[in-house]
Amino acid sequence: MAFGNFDAVPKATKLLVAGGFGVGKTTLVGTISEIKPLRTEETLTEASIGIDNLDGLAKKTTTTVAMDFGRITISSNLVLYLFGTPGQDRFLFVWDELSTGAMGAVVLADTRRLDDSFPSIDYFEQRGMPFVVGVNCFDGARRYQPDEVRIALDLDPDVPVILCDARDRESVKSLLIALLRHAQHVAQQQRIPAGPAQLPA
Amino acid sequence: MEPSIQDETDELWVDADAGPVVRPYAMTRGRTQPTSGNFDLITIVVSVRAVSPVDVGLGPEHEAIVQLCRQPFSVAELSAHLNLPVGTVRVLLGDLLSRVLIVAHNPDPGMEPPGDDLFEAVINGIRQL
């Protein structure tokens, strides 16, 4: 490709894939992505508290947060990125960056360790980010009904809970479409009070 | 001839697992913030022209970005392909933007929810996979 061809620059958007460690986030991204999941790292320098405290310079620590992501080319002018969120609570400010402009999030849950999904659910609820819960059906794990999971996670009734297999392409496609339909509905609800005189598109 | 001490030290190869030989902040000459631009992880970058001899002060990483971005790449992809932290890539991109070697297309800032057209486009795209 020659330089200077800007007609071909696509617009980018993103979805997030959250959930506890080892729940299958990167597997899910890899199942649907057109590229092998890539890893990007954010290096964070946590300066010690106190202004003009020279002692603090020695106490600066750097932490590396890794994020796996994949890409789906929707059309010649639209690319969708799927970001797996780093699991640790102390990286919530990375979540803030990831969430900005995201269309929605999947919270992947493992019924053997449902507690692991609470931090993600709390985060997206507080932020008002539309999300669905995908119950990753691991081989050998007892199958639960979506409503059992909903009760266990104390979810709002409108949050979709979907049984899925992060290794199965059709299953992941259905999960993402359910997320997008839900997020679209949430977006439509948010627009109603803003524009009483809006004409239908 | 007996191998000298110099020869022995030459054998101390460092592989990729040891991390980059040049620390990321050395590439940015200590800067942690880009001089221009605001680069999201999914900001799409495209090169405008090749690096020329008049572009003094650019390192091999700058050139690598310009070369990669002959096709559109996101900041996250550049970070992954160059094996550099996102913060470092942002600083390098700022240098390139201020020299008009690249253009950067930022995503919607997310101040308001996406429109129906975007939802429909993404849903249809996923269906067709």
Side-chain angles (χ1 to χ4, degrees), chain A residues 1-12 76-78, chain B residues 44-50 65-66 68-73 96-97 99-106:
Chain A
M1 181 177 145
F3 287 107
N5 180 6
F6 309 127
D7 297 341
V9 180
K11 179 187 166 75
S76 60
N77 53 17
L78 183 60
Chain B
I44 304 286
V45 180
V46 191
S47 306
V48 173
R49 59 177 174 86
I65 291 173
V66 171
L68 275 170
C69 290
R70 293 176 74 154
Q71 54 177 312
F73 267 115
L96 296 172
L97 190 67
R99 289 159 193 261
V100 203
L101 276 158
I102 58 161
V103 289
H105 291 242
N106 287 321

Side-chain angles (χ1 to χ4, degrees), chain A residues 40-41 71 81 97 173, chain B residues 70 77 79 86 90 108 129:
Chain A
T40 179
E41 290 186 348
R71 185 185 68 201
Y81 289 94
E97 186 190 351
K173 279 169 65 174
Chain B
R70 293 176 74 154
E77 284 168 293
S79 160
V86 179
R90 286 191 174 115
D108 287 337
L129 290 178

Side-chain angles (χ1 to χ4, degrees), chain A residues 2-199:
Chain A
F3 287 107
N5 180 6
F6 309 127
D7 297 341
V9 180
K11 179 187 166 75
T13 187
K14 65 187 164 183
L15 297 175
L16 309 184
V17 183
F21 181 79
V23 76
K25 299 186 291 267
T26 304
T27 303
L28 185 153
V29 171
T31 298
I32 196 86
S33 173
E34 68 199 17
I35 51 169
K36 190 167 167 275
L38 295 171
R39 174 160 293 187
T40 179
E41 290 186 348
E42 194 102 59
T43 307
L44 311 154
T45 303
E46 297 169 278
S48 58
I49 297 161
I51 300 162
D52 293 332
N53 175 4
L54 292 177
D55 293 344
L57 291 174
K59 291 174 191 153
K60 270 189 177 178
T61 54
T62 50
T63 315
T64 301
V65 190
M67 292 162 280
D68 291 337
F69 67 97
R71 185 185 68 201
I72 299 169
T73 300
I74 297 294
S75 66
S76 60
N77 53 17
L78 183 60
V79 180
L80 173 68
Y81 289 94
L82 289 163
F83 281 90
T85 56
Q88 296 85 342
D89 292 350
R90 67 202 180 99
F91 298 140
L92 278 179
F93 51 101
V94 175
W95 286 46
D96 289 345
E97 186 190 351
L98 283 173
S99 302
T100 302
M103 296 180 81
V106 170
V107 176
L108 260 192
D110 176 350
T111 52
R112 296 165 300 183
R113 292 175 296 169
L114 276 183
D115 289 5
D116 290 359
S117 23
F118 284 130
S120 308
I121 291 168
D122 286 346
Y123 179 85
F124 294 129
E125 279 179 348
Q126 281 171 25
R127 205 180 155 105
M129 166 76 65
F131 68 96
V132 297
V133 174
V135 181
N136 198 7
C137 296
F138 286 85
D139 295 331
R142 206 199 115 188
R143 297 297 169 103
Y144 290 81
Q145 292 304 309
D147 280 344
E148 293 179 273
V149 175
R150 178 190 307 283
I151 291 162
L153 291 175
D154 192 24
L155 292 170
D156 286 343
D158 64 324
V159 174
V161 178
I162 297 146
L163 303 180
C164 67
D165 181 344
R167 301 163 302 182
D168 182 87
R169 196 169 163 86
E170 290 305 314
S171 175
V172 172
K173 279 169 65 174
S174 302
L175 180 66
L176 295 185
I177 290 167
L179 165 64
L180 288 157
R181 284 282 176 230
H182 173 61
Q184 183 178 25
H185 180 70
V186 171
Q188 286 167 346
Q189 297 296 108
Q190 285 172 348
R191 276 195 294 270
I192 288 167
Q198 260 183 0
L199 295 168

Side-chain angles (χ1 to χ4, degrees), chain B:
Chain B
M1 193 181 119
E2 291 291 305
S4 69
I5 289 166
Q6 183 60 48
D7 287 339
E8 283 173 27
T9 53
D10 281 349
E11 293 302 311
L12 290 171
W13 289 98
V14 179
D15 65 14
D17 292 339
V21 177
V22 179
R23 302 281 294 168
Y25 287 123
M27 290 170 203
T28 64
R29 280 171 272 130
R31 295 165 299 160
T32 57
Q33 296 295 324
T35 51
S36 66
N38 178 21
F39 301 98
D40 189 274
L41 279 170
I42 60 166
T43 292
I44 304 286
V45 180
V46 191
S47 306
V48 173
R49 59 177 174 86
V51 175
S52 81
V54 297
D55 300 306
V56 291
L58 297 181
E61 293 79 18
H62 291 102
E63 290 201 39
I65 291 173
V66 171
Q67 197 56 36
L68 275 170
C69 290
R70 293 176 74 154
Q71 54 177 312
F73 267 115
S74 63
V75 172
E77 284 168 293
L78 289 172
S79 160
H81 287 304
L82 297 168
N83 200 20
L84 289 173
V86 179
T88 306
V89 172
R90 286 191 174 115
V91 173
L92 300 175
L93 287 171
D95 297 341
L96 296 172
L97 190 67
S98 61
R99 289 159 193 261
V100 203
L101 276 158
I102 58 161
V103 289
H105 291 242
N106 287 321
D108 287 337
M111 301 301 284
E112 49 194 57
D116 281 334
D117 50 347
L118 183 61
F119 282 111
E120 295 300 336
V122 177
I123 289 167
N124 286 332
I126 291 173
R127 275 218 184 94
Q128 285 164 22
L129 290 178

